[in-house]
Amino acid sequence: MANQTIPTQAFAGQRPGTSGLRKKVTVFMQPMYLENFVQALLDVLNGCRADGPAGTALHDQTLVLGGDGRYHNRLAVQTILKQAAANGVRRVLLGQGGLLSTPAASAVIRRRQALGGIILSASHNPGGPDGDFGIKYNASNGGPANEALTEAVYARSQNLREIRCSDASDIDIDTLGVRWLDQMQVEVIDPVADYAAVMRSLFDFDLLRGMFQRGFTLRLDAMNAVGGPYAKAILENELGAPSGTVVNALPLEDFGGLHPDPNPVNAEDLIAHMMRADAPDYGAAMDGDADRNMVLGRQFIVTPSDSLAVMTAHARLIPGYRDGLLGVARSMPTSAAVDRVAKVLGIPCFETPTGWKFFGNLLDAGRVTLCGEESYGTGSSHVREKDGLWAILFWLNLQGATGRSVESLVREHWHTYGRNYYSRHDYEGIPTVIADALMADLRAGLPGWRGQAFGSRTVTLADDFSYADPVDGSVSAHQGVRLMFDDGARVVFRLSGTGTEGATLRVYLERYEADPSRQDTPVQQALAELAAVAEQVAGIRTRTGMAGPSVAT
Ligand code: G1P
Ligand code: ZN
């Protein structure tokens, strides 16, 4: 078979965002759209500059490839394989059926010492012909590519004039084993095996097996996404949880119409089950690519910020973290609950911008062991992505090791450390000009807010969050407008970097309550005053015409 060189033209806007290049499926289905981006990526990996000739750095390298199984995944896999072959890649490790969850891809890259991996996913965004598609590159540490690389890919994409592609026929991606595509070796691997080995090394599988033997009940909603096969293999097949423990376990191209974003709004069926009188002991869900998690007890929802704090407080009870934690990190908008635990434990606590890529340097440098975000993402040094099933197993192990329920673990935590009431209000689908103007005006107004009183609270700090990476010194500015108050409360504003339609404004509200007798207020009620401050400061209603947030979690 021959390599073809096909002329092409640059597409505007192929700049990767918070987690890779994410667009509507219809955008990705335009002729050459995916091909261009992949060529730009392969060119950069091959060592060429923005406008220079192609290099050959890939000729002795292995790449990992797989995705969350959404619509267009299988077609994209075939295209990428043919491009990889024509661009001199030595070997591709492909998840069977083109599937790999994001954390599993990270695990495979690390365990097999690959140069990196291409992950096809739009995470929690809806799938199907009218849904979203995405592609991201993870480097040899298993984590999202850094900005230098993604910017180089973008620059290359804007100068692209041709792509190289094999004209070989499609290969079998469903049967395990080694085959050839021209000179390139393709090994179709079990997508679960490497990941399961990592989980076995961290958790007390005997203890977990015993829990299920004694009748412990779990409902894990895989939301018809890629996490299903992982959860079934580990929980039902290996740990002996009854069959049916994992529901919506079969990955579907359109997620069966579900919005695979595990939060109380989108995982309503799980919430309904967990609120029933005969609810299982433990409930959990994952998102489209299985890197996010939501955990629940009977009639009890755990917020992600609290989850990170509780996990940090009890980490030593889990075999993989028996020796304690090097440090912890959270994204800036995530609540400060974990900061209090870190202080008591005497370990460093880092505050990074939104997006998992900022945790990578800290993990690589051995500065932190656990990290998390308010957006249902938690992870550790075992991979370089957040990891949904890992978090679910962590909480399972925690319940087994303490003999306590999810609710009692969280309530005890609030009692000891105080409660950080927390909520995120999303305003989706705002015209970009309006959202940009809102943020620009907030930024322009910053110098005036300090010392201003709102009810009983006074602003002690008003800024636009900027992060200087303690490992490589790089600075990321304009990461979110913060108003901090004298009682520890906060209001944060930022625009989403992962949406595909218009802009999404995220408003993060937080306040601290030390008194156990006042830790039981419904969250939105506890934060109503701060929501009013956000409205007063930003004028969201008037500017957007929206009566309230489209999602409040
Ligand atoms: C969102 C979350 C962020 C997460 C990212 C990828 O990004 O807020 O915490 O890392 O998805 O899962 P955003 O849309 O806010 O830029
Ligand atoms: Zn995800």
Side-chain angles (χ1 to χ4, degrees):
M1 291 301 142
N3 287 342
Q4 293 180 301
T5 302
I6 308 169
T8 191
Q9 279 178 349
F11 288 90
Q14 289 203 325
R15 173 177 263 136
T18 313
S19 315
L21 186 68
R22 209 176 276 184
K23 303 281 175 194
K24 290 268 157 221
V25 166
T26 47
V27 173
F28 268 103
M29 283 174 72
Q30 299 172 84
M32 307 304 278
Y33 190 89
L34 173 72
E35 288 86 342
N36 270 22
F37 186 77
V38 171
Q39 185 63 53
L41 171 65
L42 294 170
D43 282 347
V44 169
L45 296 178
N46 254 327
C48 58
R49 295 175 188 283
D51 205 10
T56 56
L58 286 168
H59 81 277
D60 58 353
Q61 296 291 352
T62 297
L63 291 178
V64 172
L65 176 61
D68 63 17
R70 67 178 57 227
Y71 187 81
H72 203 52
N73 192 106
R74 292 180 67 89
L75 207 68
V77 161
Q78 296 287 357
T79 303
I80 294 168
L81 286 172
K82 288 172 201 169
Q83 289 188 261
N87 282 278
V89 175
R90 187 176 75 87
R91 186 165 76 126
V92 169
L93 297 171
L94 174 70
Q96 189 178 21
L99 298 183
L100 273 178
S101 77
T102 290
S106 186
V108 173
I109 293 169
R110 292 168 68 80
R111 284 170 62 89
R112 312 283 188 110
Q113 292 170 358
L115 175 73
I118 297 174
I119 306 174
L120 304 173
S121 171
S123 187
H124 51 287
N125 295 14
D130 302 322
D132 292 345
F133 191 76
I135 175 168
K136 57 183 178 176
Y137 180 72
N138 280 25
S140 58
N141 69 347
N146 61 28
E147 234 159 83
L149 192 136
T150 56
E151 279 302 304
V153 173
Y154 173 64
R156 183 77 191 175
S157 79
Q158 298 305 295
N159 285 305
L160 211 62
R161 286 187 201 90
E162 56 186 37
I163 67 133
R164 280 178 301 287
C165 190
S166 162
D167 63 0
S169 14
D170 284 3
I171 65 159
D172 171 10
I173 61 171
D174 296 309
T175 314
L176 294 177
V178 174
R179 57 209 55 128
W180 295 87
L181 204 166
D182 301 342
Q183 305 299 308
M184 184 178 82
Q185 196 191 85
V186 180
E187 185 180 346
V188 177
I189 60 167
D190 174 355
V192 180
D194 287 79
Y195 179 81
V198 177
M199 294 303 109
R200 235 171 266 133
S201 74
L202 296 172
F203 300 112
D204 187 345
F205 271 31
D206 288 335
L207 177 80
L208 307 190
R209 232 173 257 124
M211 289 170 75
F212 289 118
Q213 256 160 25
R214 288 189 298 278
F216 183 91
T217 50
L218 161 66
R219 182 183 180 88
L220 199 167
D221 195 335
M223 303 191 86
N224 300 323
V226 77
Y230 294 85
K232 262 199 162 317
I234 294 174
L235 285 155
E236 295 187 6
N237 300 347
E238 189 160 357
L239 296 174
S243 128
T245 295
V246 185
V247 298
N248 296 321
L250 191 68
L252 299 176
E253 289 200 329
D254 64 350
F255 306 118
L258 293 182
H259 184 176
D261 189 4
N263 62 39
V265 177
N266 294 318
E268 53 178 357
D269 180 65
L270 176 65
I271 302 275
H273 273 90
M274 295 308 294
M275 292 306 149
R276 283 159 44 166
D278 62 346
D281 297 308
Y282 178 29
M286 291 181 279
D287 75 331
D289 59 340
D291 59 353
R292 294 187 176 195
N293 76 91
M294 177 170 68
V295 295
L296 305 96
R298 287 195 165 148
Q299 293 96 40
F300 192 84
I301 300 172
V302 185
T303 65
S305 297
D306 281 346
S307 174
L308 177 63
V310 172
M311 290 164 95
T312 301
H314 296 286
R316 278 179 180 273
L317 297 175
I318 310 295
Y321 309 95
R322 190 177 286 133
D323 298 334
L325 306 176
L326 298 165
V328 286
R330 64 163 171 89
S331 67
M332 179 273 284
T334 303
S335 100
V338 71
D339 302 34
R340 297 176 184 276
V341 182
K343 204 166 173 193
V344 170
L345 293 177
I347 56 173
C349 179
F350 297 87
E351 187 179 28
T352 63
T354 294
W356 207 260
K357 59 188 170 202
F358 295 97
F359 295 138
N361 275 353
L362 297 169
L363 290 162
D364 284 347
R367 310 272 289 258
V368 303
T369 310
L370 293 192
C371 34
E373 295 191 277
E374 50 66 40
S375 50
Y376 297 84
T378 340
S380 93
S381 50
H382 68 289
V383 286
R384 291 296 180 273
E385 288 279 2
K386 55 190 172 245
D387 188 345
L389 190 50
W390 166 86
I392 294 166
L393 289 168
F394 193 117
W395 271 91
L396 182 64
N397 200 148
L398 203 51
Q399 291 167 77
T402 57
R404 308 184 65 141
S405 70
V406 170
E407 175 169 1
S408 97
L409 283 163
V410 176
R411 288 200 181 278
E412 181 205 52
H413 189 91
W414 291 342
H415 203 273
T416 310
Y417 295 95
R419 175 173 186 185
N420 289 67
Y421 281 110
Y422 186 83
S423 181
R424 185 177 100 186
H425 292 186
D426 290 341
Y427 296 80
E428 296 170 327
I430 307 176
T432 309
V433 269
I434 294 183
D436 287 345
L438 185 151
M439 288 305 294
D441 288 349
L442 274 175
R443 291 192 162 106
L446 279 173
W449 294 116
R450 196 160 167 193
Q452 229 10 56
F454 292 88
S456 59
R457 297 193 172 89
T458 304
V459 177
T460 50
L461 179 86
D463 72 355
D464 190 356
F465 181 64
S466 174
Y467 177 68
D469 188 304
V471 180
D472 66 19
S474 62
V475 174
S476 305
H478 310 299
Q479 297 296 321
V481 167
R482 310 188 285 182
L483 294 190
M484 324 264 266
F485 298 91
D486 49 356
D487 63 346
R490 285 197 308 172
V491 179
V492 175
F493 302 87
R494 61 177 282 280
L495 295 184
S496 159
T498 58
T500 55
E501 250 168 324
T504 295
L505 171 70
R506 303 202 195 282
V507 181
Y508 308 84
L509 308 169
E510 174 180 3
R511 85 173 171 80
Y512 178 65
E513 181 55 72
D515 180 354
S517 74
R518 289 196 301 213
Q519 291 173 349
D520 241 338
T521 314
V523 175
Q524 297 306 332
Q525 190 181 321
L527 296 169
E529 275 183 25
L530 284 172
V533 171
E535 180 55 41
Q536 192 181 334
V537 170
I540 307 166
R541 253 178 257 162
T542 352
R543 284 166 177 269
T544 65
M546 294 168 79
S550 19
V551 186
T553 53

